[in-house]
């Protein structure tokens, strides 16, 4: 399973994300979460290392869970304070649904990270996606970690100057955030300009198609996975 073709992984992610959006039942979403976690375990070389980005999302999911619980007042009250509904059964259900749905979508996205960016570029092109769109998608994915690293570098540089964001006034925070964002935006524009020059030098979009050094080949397990995932998703959508 770790050597699956990127097209098989893309198809699995599309089907899993579709089911996560369609399902409203917490029990079905829980089963889908376990299935997605199992797929992630099978396709990821280092399972523990692959789950580390998920730890940073847990506080956000907890906040979303509490927001859904506290601000959904319809349903049977489970917790009341002086006659005011605090938590209802519908609010608790909606909170669980939102958390599980986010978990499934994040895990599905992390499945894509188990293959290299170049393989996904080839997969999109061999799916007859215009190579301009496929290249823009890969550039966007490549820019995200670069921008994150630059943001951290600027933030650490501000801290080394003795400036702390915590405890500052709103006006000071706005000024600090502006000083942090300007170098990041400037660096992003400079990198985009350099990439545009490099693309023009390589005759990007000069021809309707481009040649590639290698071509992805589907194996037997890829056909089995694709057929199973598509048929299983159709059956689950019909029987929901």
């Amino acid at each position: 399973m770790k050597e699956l073709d990127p097209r098989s992984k893309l198809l699995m992610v599309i089907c899993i994300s579709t089911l996560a959006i369609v399902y409203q039942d917490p029990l079905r979403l829980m089963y889908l979460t376990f299935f997605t976690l199992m797929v992630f375990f099978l396709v990821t070389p280092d399972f523990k290392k692959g789950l580390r980005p998920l730890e940073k999302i847990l506080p956000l999911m907890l906040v979303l869970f509490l927001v859904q619980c506290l601000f959904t007042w319809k349903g049977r009250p489970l917790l009341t304070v002086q006659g005011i509904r605090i938590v209802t059964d519908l609010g608790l259900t909606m909170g669980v649904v939102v958390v599980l749905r986010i978990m499934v979508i994040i895990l599905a996205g992390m499945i894509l990270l188990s293959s290299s960016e170049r393989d996904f570029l080839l997969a999109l092109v061999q799916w007859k996606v215009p190579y301009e769109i496929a290249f823009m998608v890969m550039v966007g994915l490549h820019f995200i970690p670069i921008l994150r690293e630059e943001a951290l570098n600027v933030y650490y540089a501000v801290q080394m100057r003795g400036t702390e964001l915590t405890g500052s006034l709103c006006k000071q925070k706005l000024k600090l955030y502006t000083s942090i964002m300007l170098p990041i935006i400037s660096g992003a524009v400079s990198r985009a300009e350099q990439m545009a020059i490099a693309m023009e030098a390589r005759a990007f979009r000069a021809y309707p198609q481009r040649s590639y050094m290698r071509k992805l080949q589907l194996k037997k397990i890829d056909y089995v996975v694709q057929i199973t995932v598509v048929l299983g998703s159709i059956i689950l959508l019909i029987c929901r």
Side-chain angles (χ1 to χ4, degrees), residues 42-59:
L42 292 175
V43 302
T44 305
D46 192 345
F47 181 68
K48 292 183 179 180
K49 184 178 179 180
L51 285 178
R52 287 177 185 173
L54 194 61
E55 298 176 357
K56 301 178 182 180
I57 312 296
L58 291 178

Side-chain angles (χ1 to χ4, degrees), residues 114-130:
S114 58
S115 296
S116 65
E117 297 175 357
R118 184 172 299 178
D119 288 342
F120 278 115
L121 176 61
L122 292 174
L124 292 174
V125 170
Q126 291 182 214
W127 261 1
K128 305 304 180 182
V129 175

Side-chain angles (χ1 to χ4, degrees), residues 36-73:
T36 310
L37 191 63
M38 182 182 65
V39 172
F40 180 69
F41 173 75
L42 292 175
V43 302
T44 305
D46 192 345
F47 181 68
K48 292 183 179 180
K49 184 178 179 180
L51 285 178
R52 287 177 185 173
L54 194 61
E55 298 176 357
K56 301 178 182 180
I57 312 296
L58 291 178
L60 176 61
M61 289 193 291
L62 179 60
V63 171
L64 291 175
F65 174 76
L66 293 175
V67 168
Q68 289 292 328
C69 287
L70 297 177
F71 291 94
T72 302
W73 297 321

